[in-house]
Amino acid sequence: MNDQKTTHFGFSEVPASEKAKMVKAVFDSVAGKYDIMNDLMSLGIHRIWKRIALQLSHVRAGEKVLDLAGGTGDMTSLFQKRVGPNGRVILSDINAEMLKRGRDRLIDEGVVDNVGYAQIDAEKLPFPDNHFDCVCIAFGLRNVTHKEEALRSIHRVLKPGGRAIILEFSEAQGDLFKKAYDLYSFKVLPMLGKFIANDADSYKYLAESIRMHPNQEKLKQMMLEAGFERCEYFNLTHGVVAVHRGYKV
């Protein structure tokens, strides 16, 4: 059992037992403008990042996929087309409001046959061992309180030969690019949050949570320690985002 008493919430130190509640409040606040803000923040590039993660997942027709912290369903929408009518994708999120919006969106798109929904905690996945061919968590791991527990849980529910795909903000590469990225993150992003979502604080948290997330090499090492093999990562947009992939053998 993890005996960690405190953890980070952005740059603040908070009781570990309180972080999930605080993250929930952030996403309750931004859920209504989440998709619009994603497009604005990344100039639409997040859609390319997600398609690259899909390609790196090697998901095939008929497979079972768990989309963890799936929010409004971007990755689920991509995966369900790939697995086809004989496959299955579970859209999951710990946040009920985000999950509801994802479910409503997919139903509106006519996606009803090969997708299920679950409100779950990534640290305690309620699925049998060796159950999924792929588990994907896109832009969600940095919000998990005990990341090591989540990685072990993901490893447990994967079938032998199954893949974990982690798409997450990471450490930008290059001094000049880092300076420009910091300016954008800490000045422009909260301003966008204020004007579009009426919530500057949540987007300030977003920028801080990215800086506190393990960098590429550290996350790769955490995956190895959780039992994954053949772990590797792929930097996108100068390392602003990275896709990590690991296999259960």
Side-chain angles (χ1 to χ4, degrees):
M1 184 62 123
N2 196 311
D3 60 357
Q4 183 183 15
K5 297 293 189 294
T6 64
T7 189
H8 56 80
F9 178 78
F11 290 160
S12 302
E13 196 77 9
V14 300
S17 60
E18 294 295 309
K19 180 171 178 176
K21 187 195 308 181
M22 296 170 77
V23 170
K24 177 183 182 299
V26 168
F27 284 93
D28 281 346
S29 174
V30 304
K33 300 289 186 180
Y34 185 77
D35 290 327
I36 294 172
M37 281 296 296
N38 276 352
D39 281 330
L40 284 172
M41 286 187 304
S42 71
L43 302 177
I45 298 171
H46 75 98
R47 299 177 186 276
I48 298 172
W49 295 334
K50 288 167 182 172
R51 289 188 178 277
I52 291 171
L54 173 73
Q55 295 300 323
L56 290 170
S57 74
H58 296 163
V59 164
R60 300 182 294 274
E63 291 192 327
K64 289 182 182 176
V65 178
L66 174 61
D67 182 11
L68 263 181
T72 54
D74 279 357
M75 291 303 301
T76 293
S77 182
L78 295 173
F79 279 125
Q80 64 86 23
K81 295 180 180 75
R82 184 66 65 91
V83 302
N86 296 320
R88 185 79 170 161
V89 182
I90 303 296
L91 171 59
S92 69
D93 205 288
I94 196 171
N95 184 282
E97 185 63 27
M98 293 289 287
L99 186 62
K100 177 181 181 299
R101 289 182 180 275
R103 181 190 62 198
D104 290 349
R105 171 191 168 187
L106 290 168
I107 291 172
D108 287 345
E109 291 177 1
V111 179
V112 292
D113 292 332
N114 61 349
V115 172
Y117 303 92
Q119 185 180 357
I120 57 176
D121 183 344
E123 296 178 25
K124 306 177 186 68
L125 297 179
F127 301 106
D129 295 357
N130 308 317
H131 190 66
F132 292 100
D133 298 286
C134 178
V135 177
C136 175
I137 180 166
F139 303 115
L141 186 62
R142 73 180 184 281
N143 296 313
V144 174
T145 305
H146 304 117
K147 295 173 180 62
E148 299 89 347
E149 290 183 19
L151 291 171
R152 286 194 292 267
S153 193
I154 290 168
H155 186 270
R156 179 184 63 78
V157 302
L158 279 170
K159 297 176 182 178
R163 292 83 63 200
I165 295 291
I166 302 170
L167 172 62
E168 189 53 90
F169 292 107
S170 200
E171 185 175 69
Q173 307 295 298
D175 290 342
L176 280 176
F177 188 83
K178 278 184 181 179
K179 288 178 181 176
Y181 182 49
D182 282 347
L183 177 65
Y184 173 78
S185 298
F186 294 107
K187 298 297 184 184
V188 178
L189 198 54
M191 195 182 306
L192 280 174
K194 179 180 179 180
F195 287 116
I196 304 301
N198 195 30
D199 187 349
D201 287 345
S202 290
Y203 287 91
K204 178 174 176 285
Y205 161 74
L206 170 62
E208 293 178 355
S209 70
I210 291 168
R211 299 316 188 279
M212 298 301 291
H213 184 67
N215 68 14
Q216 290 90 329
E217 283 294 331
K218 175 61 176 172
L219 181 53
K220 178 182 175 181
Q221 185 59 37
M222 290 170 68
M223 292 177 72
L224 289 166
E225 290 170 1
F228 290 99
E229 298 191 20
R230 295 164 54 197
C231 296
E232 55 189 334
Y233 59 83
F234 306 83
N235 280 331
L236 308 177
T237 316
H238 297 282
V240 167
V241 164
V243 180
H244 281 70
R245 180 173 64 192
Y247 292 81
K248 180 174 179 176
V249 177

